Amino acid sequence: MVYAIPSGMSQANPNISANQPQIRQLDEAAANRIAAGEVVERPSSAVKELVENAIDAQATRIEIAYADGGKTLIRVTDDGHGIAQDQLALALSRHATSKIDGSDLLNIHTFGFRGEALPSMGAVGRLTITSRAQGADSAAQIAVNGGDIESVRPAALAKGSVVELRDLFHATPARLKFLRTDRSESGAISDVVKRLAMAEPHIGFILRDVSGGGEGRIVFRADPCNGDLFEALHSRLRTILGKEFAENSILIDAEREGMTLTGYASLPTYSRGAAVAQYLFINGRPVKDKVLIGALRAAYSDFLSRDRYPAVALFIECDPERVDVNVHPAKAEVRFREPGVARGLLVSGLRHALAGAGHRASSTVADATLGAFRPEQRPTAPIYQMDRPSQSALRVNHMAQQQGFNDSVTGYSGRVEMPTDTVQLDETSHGDHPLGAARAQVHENYIIAQTNDGMVIVDQHAAHERLVYEKLKKQMAQNGVAGQALLIPEIVELSESDRQTILDAASQLAEFALVIEEFGGNAVAVRETPAILGEVNAKAMLHDILDELSDLNQTQSVKDKIEAILSRVACHGSIRSGRIMRGEEMNALLREMEVTPHSGQCNHGRPTYVELKLSDIERLFGRT
C-alpha cells in the first residue's frame, strides 16, 4: 500500500513540519563571534585578557598602547616566555590553552584559562601575534582577520610577545554603536590596568595613549616594586591610589579556616563619597563580589555614615578548589564554596585592624593645616567637621547648657580658656599620656593638649560622642537588646519564597529582639520588636530585611537600625559644642579617649583629634 505524504510534512522525516526550525551546527566564525560577545564586551575587556596572558607568561614588564579608546588599536608588549612557532596557530583555535589540565576545572592557578580570548578577538577584529619563545633562534608571527587565519611567517622580536588588535568589532559593526566615547573607553582601560597592577606589584606596567601617533603620551606608569609583598604592595598603592591613601591606611593581615586576608584599608577618617576606590582580589584576580562588598560595608558600619565609603585594596587567598572563578564568561565574578567563611574573615579582619588603629589620627588634617603655610599648593582630601551652632546662638544658649562637665560660667567674652589646674602642672607630666595634658580650650569646642613631642587638638563633642556610643554598645552586648511585645501582633503578607526566606532568618533576627512566627498561608506574625526603635513599621522593616537577604544572603538591617539609634542617643547625650570645660574635665576626657576603642573618629567617620608634632610646628616658623 502506498501512502501519500500530507502537504506541509518533510519527505526526509514525516514527523517534522517543513516550517519547523531545524537544529544546525554553527560554523567556526559564527561561534567565535558569539563568544566574543561574552568575553570581549568593550576594548577594556580585550586589554584585560591580553594583560592577564602576559602575567601568566611570567612577564616582568608589560607595556600597553591604545588609540581612540582602544577602538582602532590595542597593543600589549611583554617580556614573558613567549609562544613557540609551531603553537601559534593552535593558540588561535577555540578552547586551546596551556593554563590548565582539562580534567580539573576547579584547581585553577592562572588568569586566562578558558581558551576563548584570542580566537574571539580574531573573529571581530584584526589580530596579529608576534612571539619569540625562550631559547628559540627567531620569532614568528601569525595574523587573523575576521576569523580568517593566515599562515605563520618569520618576524623580528628579541624577547616575549607583542599582541596587536586593530579595528575592534570591524567584523561586527553593530557592536561599535554600543561603545561609549573614546574618553570613557580610555578610562575603563586605565582602570583595568591599574587593578591588575595592584595585584602584581613586582611587575612593571606602562600604559600609553598613541591616538596622535608616534610614542604617544604615558597615561600610567608603575615601575616594579622591591621588597617583600607588603612593602611592594604599599609602594604600588601609593603610586595608584595616591600618597594620602598610603598615609591614611592600615595594614590588614588575617587568617581564618585556611583563608588569608591581606592588603590595606583606609582609616574611617579617610573616606570617599562613592564606592570608587574599593578593590577586591581573589587569588590575585580582580573581582566584584556582592558577598564581599556587603561584608566591607558591615565592617565599616560602626565607623562611617551610610553615605561615606572606605577605600581598600584587599586580597583573599585560598585553595582554588574553594572558589569557582568560572561562573562568569569574563571571570569578573566568583562563587565561594563557603561564603560565610570569606565574609567572616573580611569583617573580623577589618574590625580587628580598625580597633588596633582606634587612636590613630588621620594625617590628612595635619597636612592640610601645614599646607596653608607651604609655598606649593597641592590638593588635599576634604575635611569634614562637626556642624556647630553659630556664635550668636552660642551666646544666647550658653547659660542654658546643662550641668555635667562644668559649672555655669558668666561673663565669657570669647577669650581662650586657660585651666589653672593644668597650666601649673609639672612640665614632664604630659609625657605620661599619649594625648598629653590639657592646656586650653578655644572657641568653646576644641581642647588644646600638650604632649611630650607636640600638641593635640581635640573636638570635644565628636570625642565624647564616640565615648558615649561605645559605652551604649557595651551595655547592649552585656545585657542584650530589650524587646517590646506588641499588644496585637502585626500580620505581614509575603510571597511564598519571601515567607520562607524570612522564617529561615528568624533565629538571627530574634537576637535583636525582632520575633517573627508563622501565621498561616504566606503570612508571618511580628510579635516583638526592639524597644529602642520605638514604634516600628514592621512591614517596611521586613521588606528591607528581605532585600538585604536577597542581595547579600545575610542581613544587617536590624542591627544597623539599632546602632543608628544608639549613635543618635550618643550624639544628643554628649558634650555639646559651646560648653566651657574645666581643666580636670578636659583631662578626664583625654584619659577616657586613650582607653576607649575607636576613639580616633566619631560615629560619622570624622576625626576626633589631630596631632601636630613639635617638628611640624617649628617648620611653620622656619626653625628647621
Side-chain angles (χ1 to χ4, degrees), residues 259-322:
M259 286 188 181
T260 61
L261 174 70
T262 57
Y264 288 87
S266 67
L267 292 167
T269 47
Y270 179 87
S271 60
R272 306 294 293 271
V276 295
Q278 296 180 354
Y279 302 94
L280 301 172
F281 302 81
I282 306 297
N283 291 342
R285 183 187 305 279
V287 298
K288 296 179 180 178
D289 184 82
K290 291 191 296 184
V291 171
L292 298 183
I293 293 295
L296 182 61
R297 186 178 70 183
Y300 276 87
S301 62
D302 218 19
F303 311 103
L304 292 177
S305 58
R306 299 283 289 186
D307 60 341
R308 303 299 300 175
Y309 299 84
V312 301
L314 298 173
F315 300 78
I316 291 181
E317 297 288 333
C318 65
D319 189 322
E321 295 189 359
R322 299 178 70 178

Side-chain angles (χ1 to χ4, degrees), residues 370 612-624:
L370 296 176
L612 288 173
K613 298 296 185 183
L614 188 59
S615 58
D616 295 328
I617 300 172
E618 290 176 337
R619 196 163 70 237
L620 291 175
F621 294 95
R623 285 182 170 270
T624 56

Side-chain angles (χ1 to χ4, degrees), residues 357-378:
H359 301 296
R360 177 177 162 188
S362 169
S363 68
T364 306
V365 180
D367 286 346
T369 305
L370 296 176
F373 296 89
R374 293 173 180 150
E376 72 274 13
Q377 297 295 320
R378 58 183 179 83

Side-chain angles (χ1 to χ4, degrees), residues 38-108:
E38 296 179 334
V39 178
V40 187
E41 300 175 2
R42 56 193 301 196
S44 59
S45 304
V47 171
K48 173 181 177 292
E49 296 289 343
L50 296 178
V51 173
E52 285 180 347
N53 283 346
I55 294 172
D56 285 338
Q58 300 177 356
T60 59
R61 293 184 180 272
I62 302 173
E63 181 170 334
I64 306 99
Y66 67 88
D68 303 317
K71 300 172 187 176
T72 59
L73 171 68
I74 294 172
R75 183 172 59 240
V76 176
T77 305
D78 69 72
D79 60 354
H81 55 57
I83 305 173
Q85 179 175 336
D86 60 354
Q87 292 189 329
L88 280 175
L90 184 60
L92 292 174
S93 61
R94 293 192 70 199
H95 309 309
T97 179
S98 62
K99 312 291 183 64
I100 60 170
D101 178 0
S103 63
D104 189 357
L105 296 180
L106 293 178
N107 192 22
I108 295 171

